[in-house]
Amino acid sequence: MNPQQPPIAVIGAGIMGAGIAQIAAQAGHPVHLFDARDGAAHDAKVKLATTLQGLVTKGKLTAEAAAATLDRIQPASNLATLADSALVVEAIVEDLAAKRTLFRELEALVDEHCILATNTSSISVTAIANGLKHPGRLVGMHFFNPVPLMKLVEVVSGLQTEPAVAARIEALSRAWGKVPVQAKSTPGFIVNRIARPYYAETLALLLEQTAEPAVLDACLRGAGFRMGPCELMDLIGHDTNFAVTKSVYEANFYDKRFVPSLVQAEMVAGGLLGRKSGRGFYAYPAGAPALPSPDAALAQRALQAAREVTVHGSGAIADALALRAAAALEPLGFGPARLPSSAWTGLEVDGAHLMLTSGLSAAEWVIESGISDVAVFDRPLHTEPGALAYAVAPSSSPAWREHAAGWLQALGFAPQPVADTPGLVVARTAAMLINEAADAVLQGVCTEAGADAAMKLGVNYPAGPFEWLSRWSAAEVVALLQALDGCYRGERYRVSPWLQRRARAEVQNPRP
Ligand code: NAI
């Protein structure tokens, strides 16, 4: 045993407890591992031996370090053996009564300086602490699965958690190689709350038949997300995802912003739970069907037909469009003009508009602009062009229908036709993620940097919501959300007061 590191107890030797025991032992702590089920702690240690041996084989750990780690983990046969612990991390069943009972029992055993931490993913830390003699020492230490690989730890403070206790858990998490983010105990904490729209917007788009799951997944992967929402829900399991959504909805007193989806309810009712049941949005093991390959000649036909091209708007997206349009037109001997002061961003091709979504549908832009050949395209969030949703106004000519897709292809995208829905796919999802993150900051749940770190490390987002916002503008995000609200009405798309404030601040301090 390493005499320098204080002993730590982990209670619950399931998926999470075993992972927490592993990283604590790897950091040099003697670890007591206890589970209510006889033999579970011992079994977890045996499994861990195999995991550590795997790391040794891959050259990621020395045989000595693996042996020492394993030696530090002591399966405990009763709670009394944990009495010398400086920290107890609880990872038992997700049940408030069970957790409260356990912590009350522990309080009678451990010394007064011992910190009590819960790995709960959805129960109020304040509620778990209720009834303790020293509720100030109870804190959330929310790891992500698989614990040894996921860097994020949400350090969750309940109403009575002492700031010094949260600070010590933050420091300890860092010493264990994790990235801690402070959070206030509110439903879903940071990640499970801010991530709701990633699923909810796709489920809403499916409900109104905007596109097939494989198209929506491709568009969000094209925006840099590692997995699309449909394949991700299939992986998590629709029963689990639906339960989290329902718990956040109920915990928010049925705020319509968090309302679960009929699409998912029906799948759960039918046992289409995803990968684990062999069928979710996709059938397994086959998974998502390949999208039809695009007609490679579309771009050439669009370019050949063009006589006059103007890039409207300013900013990074307009600049990128101008560069790519110039490169595409170069062989034809002319280039695009620019109109930076335009009210919209996109390409004007011989009078037709290919417009970056502002939240208005293509049909609405037809009315506003008086032009009949209109297509709107989704927001490219990512530097690498990939699949990109677009929608053509019903009034468009057959030629423009084809050329709109051809132009997107010429600009480097893989165009995906979808129904003419406000905010399309990525812009709408990103705006809602930003809006939720803004509300979390408004309510003091986390900081902007904390939200960004949590979403990147907890669910592997390609960037944090506030990073997207810094490359967008609060006024444009607000306009997009207002367009959605105008279309759907109700609480769901109400704009966070934080975002409204940010938009007003932009007016007062315009970007250079
Ligand atoms: P699990 O079911 O794999 O393990 C729970 C273990 O706790 C079982 O071995 C069970 O025998 C034991 N147990 C149950 N009641 C006990 C008690 N009163 N005293 C001692 N041992 C008891 O569950 P898992 O997935 O490891 O989750 C544990 C906790 O971590 C839950 O609070 C869960 O919400 C949370 N969590 C789970 C994540 C996940 O992805 N599975 C992610 C983050 C948090």
Side-chain angles (χ1 to χ4, degrees):
M1 292 223 175
N2 182 337
Q4 264 110 56
Q5 300 285 25
I8 280 176
V10 177
I11 306 194
I15 306 175
M16 298 302 286
I20 297 165
Q22 180 189 331
I23 60 161
Q26 280 185 296
H29 294 271
V31 176
H32 303 294
L33 182 59
F34 175 78
D35 197 286
R37 188 168 60 78
D38 269 353
H42 175 264
D43 294 349
K45 186 171 173 177
V46 171
K47 241 166 124 180
L48 202 58
T50 316
T51 308
L52 293 170
Q53 187 49 49
L55 293 177
V56 173
T57 313
K58 285 188 203 151
K60 294 193 172 165
L61 199 68
T62 64
E64 294 72 37
T69 299
L70 212 54
D71 266 359
R72 288 188 200 107
I73 300 178
Q74 299 297 328
S77 52
N78 59 64
L79 282 184
T81 23
L82 321 179
D84 65 343
S85 305
L87 163 72
V88 180
V89 186
E90 166 276 312
I92 68 166
V93 59
E94 188 72 342
D95 178 88
L96 175 60
K99 289 189 196 283
R100 271 185 180 159
T101 308
L102 173 70
F103 280 118
R104 278 177 213 181
E105 255 179 82
L106 282 168
E107 245 197 340
L109 295 170
V110 295
D111 98 23
E112 58 183 306
H113 302 294
C114 174
I115 294 180
L116 303 177
T118 171
N119 183 45
T120 181
S121 46
S122 63
I123 302 174
S124 153
V125 170
T126 308
I128 296 173
N130 186 359
L132 289 185
K133 273 199 232 96
H134 303 289
R137 64 155 106 176
L138 190 117
V139 63
M141 192 177 190
H142 183 211
F143 291 90
F144 288 73
N145 187 13
V147 177
L149 298 183
M150 299 298 283
K151 287 269 178 210
L152 181 67
V153 176
E154 290 179 340
V155 179
V156 187
S157 290
L159 279 184
Q160 301 199 71
T161 305
E162 285 166 21
V165 168
R168 281 178 59 195
I169 291 302
E170 177 175 336
L172 185 70
S173 304
R174 207 164 272 133
W176 290 2
K178 300 294 179 195
V179 178
V181 173
Q182 295 283 351
K184 196 153 92 176
S185 181
T186 44
F189 309 140
I190 306 174
V191 170
N192 279 334
R193 174 211 182 130
I194 297 179
R196 292 339 301 155
Y198 190 61
Y199 313 107
E201 289 311 304
T202 277
L203 290 165
L205 291 168
L206 288 170
L207 188 66
E208 57 185 84
Q209 306 184 77
T210 297
E212 291 295 316
V215 170
L216 297 173
D217 276 352
C219 290
L220 283 144
R221 276 198 311 269
F225 290 91
R226 208 171 282 179
M227 292 180 89
C230 298
E231 52 191 346
L232 186 53
M233 283 184 269
D234 270 6
L235 179 70
I236 295 168
H238 288 277
D239 47 348
T240 305
N241 192 271
F242 189 54
V244 177
T245 309
K246 274 202 300 189
S247 93
V248 172
Y249 177 53
E250 284 161 18
N252 280 289
F253 306 114
Y254 304 98
D255 184 332
K256 287 280 191 295
R257 282 186 313 136
F258 300 107
V259 75
S261 167
L262 278 177
V263 171
Q264 196 168 41
E266 195 69 358
M267 290 174 74
V268 173
L272 282 73
L273 304 181
R275 276 175 190 263
K276 63 182 168 190
S277 73
R279 180 77 205 275
F281 286 118
Y282 307 118
Y284 294 91
L291 293 175
S293 352
D295 174 357
L298 274 184
Q300 271 319 310
R301 286 204 292 273
L303 289 166
Q304 296 287 351
R307 295 290 165 265
E308 224 178 283
V309 180
T310 305
V311 176
H312 284 244
S314 57
I317 293 182
D319 290 347
L321 293 176
L323 271 178
R324 292 186 201 157
L329 288 169
E330 202 189 352
L332 298 167
F334 74 107
R338 290 214 55 176
L339 194 55
S341 60
S342 175
W344 56 279
T345 297
L347 255 61
E348 182 176 351
V349 183
D350 300 322
H353 288 185
L354 181 59
M355 181 202 192
L356 172 69
T357 179
S358 63
L360 295 184
S361 64
E364 284 169 314
W365 189 242
V366 166
I367 294 169
E368 199 136 310
S369 65
I371 307 284
S372 56
D373 280 350
V374 167
V376 289
F377 62 94
D378 210 351
R379 190 169 184 85
L381 272 194
H382 202 40
T383 42
E384 298 297 314
L388 193 78
Y390 75 101
V392 184
S395 56
S396 295
S397 63
W400 176 241
R401 281 172 190 283
E402 194 189 284
H403 291 337
W407 266 101
L408 289 173
Q409 212 176 71
L411 295 169
F413 300 107
Q416 305 297 324
V418 302
D420 189 15
T421 314
L424 296 171
V425 181
V426 170
R428 163 181 178 144
T429 304
M432 284 296 278
L433 290 168
I434 291 169
N435 199 38
E436 199 50 53
D439 248 10
V441 171
L442 177 75
Q443 295 164 6
V445 174
C446 57
T447 61
E448 293 170 45
D452 282 347
M455 301 318 286
K456 287 192 287 186
L457 299 172
V459 271
N460 293 320
Y461 281 9
F466 294 98
E467 291 172 337
W468 288 320
L469 181 61
S470 71
R471 296 178 220 143
W472 202 340
S473 88
E476 286 173 337
V477 176
V478 167
L480 195 135
L481 292 168
Q482 281 170 341
L484 284 161
D485 187 49
C487 177
Y488 297 102
R489 296 287 180 214
E491 295 158 50
R492 187 180 173 112
Y493 296 102
R494 72 149 180 74
V495 180
S496 168
W498 186 98
L499 212 48
Q500 296 174 28
R501 249 181 252 159
R502 178 62 68 95
R504 284 195 294 274
E506 276 176 6
V507 174
Q508 280 151 11
N509 305 299
R511 281 184 213 174

